[in-house]
Amino acid sequence: MAEITSKHRILCGLDSNDTSEDDVISVYLEKAQNKVVKARYPFGCTDIQREETLEFYSENVDGLLVYYYNKIGADNETAHSDSGTSRTYMKDSDFLDDIVPVADVVL
């Protein structure tokens, strides 16, 4: 399970000491981390490569975490209109645009 810090709580709009949502944040943080690592290493990586990737692309992970957390209740929705208010969501892949994939050449 992903380690939750006060930074993650604050990013999600919670008090830094409010641990009531930690289980939810943990699920979305792990999902965000896996998405970033998969974008960097589409064919798998070592534990060291994973840790280096998560450190280097921490802003991408944070952005995805907030994106996933804010979409609670609106999963799989791309747009929504209600009572004159319209909302259009980004795609989670938009947070991966600056990640350079790494792959080995097989001879």
Side-chain angles (χ1 to χ4, degrees):
M1 213 172 210
E3 181 182 339
I4 305 301
T5 64
S6 58
K7 175 183 117 175
H8 297 121
R9 292 184 197 104
I10 291 169
L11 285 171
C12 291
L14 303 170
D15 183 86
S16 62
N17 298 316
D18 182 0
T19 60
S20 65
E21 292 285 314
D22 279 7
D23 289 341
V24 174
I25 294 172
S26 179
V27 168
Y28 288 126
L29 179 58
E30 191 168 330
K31 181 178 179 179
Q33 289 174 340
N34 290 340
K35 190 94 167 173
V36 167
V37 171
K38 183 74 171 175
R40 177 75 170 158
Y41 294 100
F43 303 105
C45 66
T46 66
D47 290 340
I48 293 171
Q49 290 170 321
R50 178 181 172 84
E51 291 306 314
E52 289 172 349
T53 299
L54 293 176
E55 183 178 329
F56 189 79
Y57 291 107
S58 63
E59 288 182 20
N60 300 73
V61 171
D62 293 345
L64 278 168
L65 168 63
V66 171
Y67 172 81
Y68 292 140
Y69 186 81
N70 287 337
K71 276 195 77 178
I72 292 174
D75 298 343
N76 301 318
E77 228 179 20
T78 57
H80 178 84
S81 295
D82 187 25
S83 302
T85 302
S86 296
R87 184 174 298 164
T88 304
Y89 297 102
M90 299 171 57
K91 297 179 287 185
D92 60 353
S93 60
D94 292 341
F95 292 93
L96 307 175
D97 288 344
D98 63 337
I99 296 177
V100 179
V102 173
D104 292 329
V105 177
V106 178
L107 300 175

